Amino acid sequence: MYKKLIIASVIFLLVAMMSCNLPFFSQQNFQIFKQPEKTLTAMFAVFPSATVSLPTEEATEEAQPTVTPEPATPAPTYTVSGLERTGQRVTAKYLTSPPVIDGDWGDWKDLTTAYPAAYVTFGFGNWENSNDLEPSFVLGWDDTYLYVAVKVHDDKYVQNSTGQFIYKGDSFEILMDTNLMSDFYTDFLSSDDYQLGISPGKGSTSGPKEAYLWYPKSQKGSCTSDVTVASTGGDGLYRVEAKIPWNIFGISPYEGMRVGFALSVSDNDNAAANVQQSLTSNVATRRLTNPTTWGELQLIK
């Protein structure tokens, strides 16, 4: 028994000595590679949710800016008072005499308030400075029409698109939530939300003008025959005037009326391609598909 114990001890010592030379007991020279900061940033990046939309080429998502479907069920309604959108509130002054629609707002500008629309909400990398794109506008109204006049500092006038693609050239658009108080908290487009675009003229401001309604989807189409548009100018500065029938928006106006509102201007400086390079708006938070990010318009006398 004692001999067996000695033999077992010798065998154990021999195995232990040999094991020091086995591969899995040898020291490994591991090299630690430092990951680039960009890679680490990408690993922990928070990506925007699918609900974030681009402004009108927003239109990729909105490609006709109306791609967002109307909800299958009615939007929830809320009756609220004393609340205001966080975006800019603008006013339209009642005009006892309708302005002449000739591209010059001089006959009624002093009756209203001029507002800038200089927040870059799409294509910031393409926007160079205020000479590249810097708009301002005034608004008026009467019982039949909404009057809009826009002045745009733009170093190059380019508009070669037509119909639903006019946003891919120099143009402006109006967003309007016509039932503001009933769906104040609704953060998606519904049938009372409108997007109307206006082209100052194909080829030049003396070319054919157009008006196109992208939303609501059920009413999508040209409304050039209903909207009167006039424009002047060209490279460096152009002006546009329009009178828009209230019935396009399906509402009857009254003093004190409040609607959701944003006015935005698209820019294209590339005469060889129809593309929306940038978009500026009077509302910094503007997102096409979320009316709660728009501002407000109030009708006053």
Side-chain angles (χ1 to χ4, degrees):
M1 183 70 171
Y2 180 72
K3 287 183 178 181
K4 289 182 179 180
L5 182 59
I6 293 175
I7 293 171
S9 298
V10 171
I11 292 172
F12 175 79
L13 289 172
L14 288 173
V15 171
M17 292 173 65
M18 292 175 62
S19 66
C20 292
N21 295 319
L22 295 177
F24 50 81
F25 274 102
S26 63
Q27 269 195 328
Q28 301 293 318
N29 294 320
F30 294 107
Q31 185 173 1
I32 306 299
F33 293 96
K34 182 180 179 182
Q35 295 201 40
E37 291 183 6
K38 185 175 180 181
T39 303
L40 293 175
T41 301
M43 289 171 62
F44 296 102
V46 178
F47 295 95
S49 69
T51 59
V52 175
S53 62
L54 301 173
T56 309
E57 163 126 347
E58 300 178 319
T60 334
E61 190 185 294
E62 302 163 12
Q64 293 96 27
T66 55
V67 167
T68 304
E70 294 183 56
T73 56
T77 59
Y78 309 84
T79 301
V80 297
S81 61
L83 297 179
E84 294 183 15
R85 290 277 184 243
T86 55
Q88 183 185 47
R89 175 182 263 192
V90 299
T91 60
K93 183 68 182 290
Y94 187 86
L95 302 177
T96 54
S97 298
V100 178
I101 305 301
D102 57 3
D104 181 3
W105 64 14
D107 57 331
W108 61 288
K109 177 186 175 184
D110 291 342
L111 303 175
T112 64
T113 302
Y115 298 97
Y119 293 107
V120 180
T121 59
F122 172 75
F124 185 79
N126 297 321
W127 182 84
E128 296 179 359
N129 50 44
S130 59
N131 292 325
D132 184 27
L133 180 63
E134 186 180 68
S136 56
F137 66 97
V138 297
L139 300 166
W141 69 287
D142 60 23
D143 295 337
T144 308
Y145 296 102
L146 171 67
Y147 299 98
V148 185
V150 183
K151 179 175 73 173
V152 184
H153 291 278
D154 182 358
D155 54 357
K156 191 172 184 181
Y157 181 83
V158 176
Q159 175 56 281
N160 295 313
S161 298
T162 60
Q164 63 184 335
F165 300 111
I166 58 173
Y167 70 93
K168 292 186 175 184
D170 292 345
S171 56
F172 77 89
E173 65 165 51
I174 290 172
L175 298 177
M176 187 177 293
D177 179 356
T178 62
N179 199 12
L180 177 65
M181 291 296 98
S182 292
D183 59 2
F184 193 87
Y185 297 108
T186 303
D187 59 2
F188 54 86
L189 293 174
S190 57
S191 58
D192 57 58
D193 298 318
Y194 288 75
Q195 183 189 26
L196 175 69
I198 292 182
S199 165
K202 183 180 179 183
S204 71
T205 57
S206 60
K209 292 91 170 72
E210 288 190 71
Y212 195 90
L213 189 69
W214 290 290
Y215 211 83
K217 189 175 180 180
S218 59
Q219 299 177 40
K220 173 183 172 182
S222 173
C223 46
T224 301
S225 60
D226 300 314
V227 179
T228 302
V229 181
S231 53
T232 60
D235 292 352
L237 176 70
Y238 69 89
R239 301 174 186 267
V240 194
E241 274 187 299
K243 67 175 185 180
I244 306 166
W246 285 112
N247 59 22
I248 283 182
F249 304 112
I251 56 178
S252 298
Y254 56 87
E255 182 181 7
M257 183 179 187
R258 291 167 55 194
V259 295
F261 181 86
L263 186 143
S264 308
V265 177
S266 292
D267 185 37
N268 179 19
D269 292 332
N270 184 358
N274 295 338
V275 60
Q276 184 190 43
Q277 293 182 328
S278 59
L279 181 87
T280 63
S281 177
N282 74 305
V283 180
T285 56
R286 175 202 177 278
R287 292 293 178 268
L288 170 60
T289 55
N290 183 352
T292 67
T293 67
W294 306 351
E296 286 190 24
L297 164 64
Q298 184 172 29
L299 306 184
I300 64 173
K301 285 191 175 181

